[in-house]
Amino acid sequence: MANLSSSTIMLTGAGGALATAIAQELDDAGAQIVLVGRGESLERAADRFPATEVLDLDLTDPASIDRLRKVKVDTLIHTVGAFSTQDAQKATPDDLRHLFDTNMTSLFNAVQGVLPHMIRQKDGIVMGVSAGQAARLSGPKAALYTASKAAVAAYILSLHDELKGKGVRGCVLYPMGAIDTPSNRDAGLAWESMIDPRGLAKSVAHTLSRPDRAHITELKVYPDA
């Protein structure tokens, strides 16, 4: 998929910091964008970026699958995600459900929505956002978060192995640090340790523009520090 201007790309989590940076890169490249998100964040994204379709969906709900199957896209970029930490002995079943529903179930439903069309046209890319902790398979007070993001990576890489012969490829984006957002700055994270979402977005656009025989399956992006 070397020419983004001929691509229709579904971007989930529309309105979030990373999704907004990616949407700008896609818009600059002339791609057709399908925005998927919720509420006011989605509305802001739709006001800022021209989109062929705007879908207000809860991707943790299986009902979203049927809605997505009515949309034909070449690429899915899934940025929906949640982060939380807890002491291992204080983690609750609700913590588990929240992290796996937001990080993994939403991805599963999005993929189930777009995959039939990709397989029919024998072309498609599924990109999901994992995390540096998942790449390292460790993270203090983040066992559930790390496990849920590791599931994202394993799912996409397994899809790639299964479906690459049918023209559908997978890619995992690993931000190897916190993304520079107002909430992360408010939490006291140092600017030097955070990754500019615009840098991540440019890495995504570069990955999507590779020809088929130069596909990138895992993309780790580090902060300068």
Side-chain angles (χ1 to χ4, degrees):
M1 189 175 292
N3 187 0
L4 294 184
S5 65
S6 62
S7 302
T8 301
I9 299 173
M10 178 178 289
L11 179 62
T12 70
L18 177 56
T20 297
I22 293 173
Q24 186 64 67
E25 287 294 317
L26 298 179
D27 186 46
D28 290 345
Q32 302 297 305
I33 308 173
V34 175
L35 296 173
V36 181
R38 302 300 308 278
E40 292 182 359
S41 294
L42 176 63
E43 291 176 6
R44 288 194 297 270
D47 287 342
R48 180 171 175 179
F49 302 105
T52 58
E53 293 198 52
V54 178
L55 302 175
D56 192 331
L57 293 175
D58 177 2
L59 290 175
T60 66
D61 184 348
S64 63
I65 295 173
D66 288 338
R67 290 280 306 278
L68 295 178
R69 285 186 174 171
K70 298 176 182 178
V71 183
K72 297 178 180 180
V73 300
D74 306 304
T75 299
L76 167 67
I77 304 175
H78 185 73
T79 75
V80 174
F83 171 77
S84 68
T85 60
Q86 53 282 129
D87 293 333
Q89 64 182 354
K90 295 180 180 179
T92 68
D94 284 342
D95 293 328
L96 176 69
R97 280 190 291 269
H98 170 64
L99 286 168
F100 272 82
D101 279 352
T102 308
N103 292 334
M104 184 61 222
T105 301
S106 66
L107 171 63
F108 173 81
N109 289 337
V111 170
Q112 291 301 306
V114 303
L115 201 55
H117 172 69
M118 290 182 177
I119 291 175
R120 282 195 300 271
Q121 71 177 7
K122 298 181 179 180
D123 184 45
I125 295 176
V126 173
M127 177 180 285
V129 181
S130 185
Q133 289 98 318
R136 296 187 293 265
L137 292 179
S138 67
K141 296 190 176 183
L144 296 182
Y145 172 72
T146 298
S148 68
K149 285 297 194 177
V152 167
Y155 178 68
I156 291 175
L157 294 175
S158 293
L159 281 179
H160 175 79
D161 285 345
E162 178 182 347
L163 298 175
K164 60 186 177 182
K166 298 181 180 180
V168 180
R169 288 140 288 144
C171 178
V172 183
L173 172 65
Y174 298 96
M176 301 301 290
I179 298 175
D180 188 358
T181 65
S183 61
N184 281 336
R185 291 197 179 199
D186 290 342
L189 296 180
W191 174 83
E192 299 83 8
S193 68
M194 292 190 287
I195 303 173
D196 188 338
R198 295 171 297 178
L200 285 166
K202 289 184 181 298
S203 298
V204 168
H206 170 79
T207 299
L208 296 182
S209 65
R210 297 306 87 208
D212 291 346
R213 294 184 66 189
H215 181 71
I216 297 170
T217 56
E218 294 184 274
L219 178 63
K220 296 180 181 179
V221 182
Y222 293 81
D224 287 343

